[in-house]
Amino acid sequence: MPIAELGYRPWEGERRGWLMRSMAISRYGIRVAHQNSKLLRRLLWLAWVPLVYFAPVFFAIGWVADPANDLAEMNLLGKIGMEILGRDLVSEIRAHPEVLLPPIWSAAFVLFFAWMQSWIAMLVVTIVGPRLISWDLRGKAFLLYFSKPISFWQYMLGKLGIIQYFVLRISLFPALALYLISILLAPNLTTLIKTSPIMLQILLASLLVSVPVSVVMLLFSSLSRDPRVAAFCWIFLWIFGEASYWTMTFRSGGHEVPSWVVFTSIRETAIQATATAFQLVERVADFLVFFNSRDIPVDIITDLAEVEGTIGHQFRLAQQMAQTGAAPSNAQGTQALLFILGVTIVATLILRRRIQKPVSI
Amino acid sequence: MILELEHVTKLYRDFKALDDLTVSIRPGAIGLLGPNGAGKSTLIKALLGLVKLTEGQARVLGMDARTDSRLIREQVGYMPEDDCTIPGMKGVEAVAYAGELAGLPASIALRRAHEILDFVTVQEERYREVQTYSTGMRQKIKLAQSLIHSPKLLFLDEPANGLDPVGRERMLALIRTLYQKKGISVVVSTHILGDIEECCDAVLILGRGRLLVYDDIETLKQSQDTSVGIRFDGDGAALRAGLESRSCEVQVLKDNNWRVQANSPDIDVARSILEAARDAGVALRSLDPSRNTLEEIFLQAVQTTSGVPTTVEPAVTGGL
């Protein structure tokens, strides 16, 4: 045998596990998506812009909530915090930070997700998603994947990972950065321990939104060899759903719309799921009960309850619970979770058929 | 045995893509021959576990194609007929990616990708995007992708498709090297008889999903028919006498359409016909050497499959 033979040599090493093969699919997909879209790269930066607003808010709330800071010598941050929360609220928060900070943080994170991140996420999915399977159909790459020891689930997980990565970069990473900012300004260690579930809730909220959105996008992507078909379906679902939701909301004339209306809009459903993950209604209701028992008005909640859409609805629901003294429950949140679960399962099953068909003929 | 099929049947609604195939295939280079629609690709997909069999049992390298398809695909490489490109990938990345899909660690996949691209003679082009490649280059990339995970058995679906004569010769040389020097059993699926004869030592011929023949090519060639068909104008009696005097037998098919067979393998039939025709003053209109067994079986398969004979490129063997 030659001592320096160029070319083919057998390989007998240990093969990597189940998950790593999916990660290989995700890694290549992420790189290709990055390379192909300047707009995508810009949106990833844009996702950090809301921090310019939310970070000072978190700083301010953290500063005024810390009993170690003297309110008589307020700096600019203190004044902002006082403006947002009001003097009475601030006094109570300083007295009971471990009880009152978690609801405030939950509300702030839901608002953070709802206002800008949800829009950017929808745009990013529109850019990244359409090509993921349609290009494989067009290039007949299915045979490359499935002639290797790759299962449908590994393939789907790999493709899902691509959208997940970008959606999480928009929702999870900035939110975690905000949380770290909040932690840095926590008044004491007790507050840190009391609010630590928020980190898990950030992760849960991000996944609750990103997983169903990714599966639906993959399903659209599997419909045709032309990615424009998937993009059209997605934009239609998004814009038409959004228009339907707001039309029905405004036509209700100030009355609450039926609970199913929220499911006409992907974005509003995502906001609903996020609010559920943060237990927004239950926490705000507890928060209001605390202040109602002391006859302290909470103007900020009243203001938020007047906002149209799912966000306002969550705060109105919390107000009703606090007023009637009903046990905190969120049937609409449960409905949203079931709806998301149902959509994810159905989309996955259809997707499986769509992917297996071109391989088996 | 690398492949063991028992009553393998695949139905697509009413269409029988595979019809009761029963055969055991020895290691080596095997040509899977048949006209378009004979069931070659379906058989390969079924052996990889990508297509569910309607009936029967298939074993690949001793593993059940129904239950162990993932294990099979770890040990088997597949080069599909179609281009399987992922837009935006360079040649070396596409090969390394195939390795990672097969479970190779990323660093090893990349190293092996370079080694195998050297083997299939892809040089600096490996750093270009696959979409910009010629057909020949794409075939090489597909071959490299099928080899990266060190398979024990390789399925090659139309490996010389779309290649120019030089590219075809190089591809067939690579295939020969794989089984002769690297010990990898190869199943080459094609409808080009010449490719099979050049690079395989056994052949399995399918027609309409049925097994027509499985045997060593050498064995099939031994039964070669040396008779020659002739058409002529002139004195048949004189020609017959001339041929018989040269130890040739004549079988009259129709008036001036005969088949001439030598009594001894040492006799050159065609030369005898030409000399007898000259002596008898007969004008020969055609000389038609018989086809060997492999070719005849293949043509039979083609003829039983409607609408495809124009795609056939049989090898020319024997004759003048």
Side-chain angles (χ1 to χ4, degrees), chain B residues 147-224:
Chain B
L147 276 172
I148 183 134
H149 59 297
S150 195
K152 293 182 173 65
L153 169 63
L154 205 54
F155 289 115
L156 307 177
D157 201 350
E158 305 286 1
N161 220 7
L163 299 182
D164 59 28
V166 177
R168 175 177 166 273
E169 189 49 50
R170 282 182 185 161
M171 177 60 76
L172 297 179
L174 279 173
I175 295 168
R176 278 195 298 270
T177 305
L178 281 173
Y179 83 91
Q180 286 174 351
K181 294 185 177 171
K182 307 297 178 185
I184 300 171
S185 288
V186 185
V187 175
V188 183
S189 166
T190 181
H191 60 277
I192 303 171
L193 187 59
D195 290 355
I196 299 288
E197 287 190 315
E198 274 196 44
C199 71
C200 296
D201 46 24
V203 67
L204 187 149
I205 303 180
L206 295 180
R208 285 194 167 178
R210 293 197 196 109
L211 176 67
L212 299 180
V213 71
Y214 168 61
D215 211 336
D216 290 338
I217 290 178
E218 283 307 310
T219 311
L220 290 169
K221 279 185 172 176
Q222 278 170 11
S223 61
Q224 191 173 0

Side-chain angles (χ1 to χ4, degrees), chain A residues 143 358-361, chain B residues 5 8-13 15-19 21 32 35-55 58 60 65 78 80-81 155 157-158 187 189 204 206 208-210:
Chain A
L143 281 174
V359 178
S360 61
I361 55 175
Chain B
L5 312 182
V8 164
T9 302
K10 174 63 189 175
L11 284 172
Y12 288 112
R13 296 191 179 168
F15 176 70
K16 267 191 179 176
L18 300 174
D19 188 358
L21 292 181
L32 179 57
N36 293 340
K40 304 186 298 289
S41 296
T42 304
L43 177 61
I44 292 176
K45 285 182 181 177
L47 295 173
L48 289 169
L50 300 177
V51 166
K52 280 186 183 171
L53 294 176
T54 312
E55 279 176 42
V60 180
Y78 174 48
E81 180 183 2
F155 289 115
D157 201 350
E158 305 286 1
V187 175
S189 166
L204 187 149
L206 295 180
R208 285 194 167 178
R210 293 197 196 109

Side-chain angles (χ1 to χ4, degrees), chain A residues 220-238:
Chain A
F220 287 154
S221 180
S222 73
L223 293 179
S224 166
R225 294 173 177 207
D226 189 342
R228 286 174 298 184
V229 173
F232 173 79
C233 290
W234 177 254
I235 291 170
F236 178 81
L237 187 70
W238 171 21

Side-chain angles (χ1 to χ4, degrees), chain A residues 143-203:
Chain A
L143 281 174
L144 169 66
Y145 287 105
F146 295 113
S147 65
K148 302 292 179 207
I150 290 278
S151 66
F152 160 77
W153 294 108
Q154 283 171 307
Y155 175 80
M156 191 182 138
L157 201 65
K159 293 289 178 183
L160 209 63
I162 300 166
I163 307 182
Q164 289 288 303
Y165 169 79
F166 288 109
V167 174
L168 293 182
R169 265 192 71 171
I170 284 158
S171 59
L172 180 67
F173 296 162
L176 284 176
L178 264 185
Y179 178 70
L180 284 176
I181 291 167
S182 317
I183 289 296
L184 289 173
L185 286 163
N188 51 49
L189 198 61
T190 316
T191 312
L192 175 65
I193 294 165
K194 283 272 184 187
T195 58
S196 58
I198 281 184
M199 201 155 65
L200 284 177
Q201 286 170 328
I202 291 170
L203 182 65

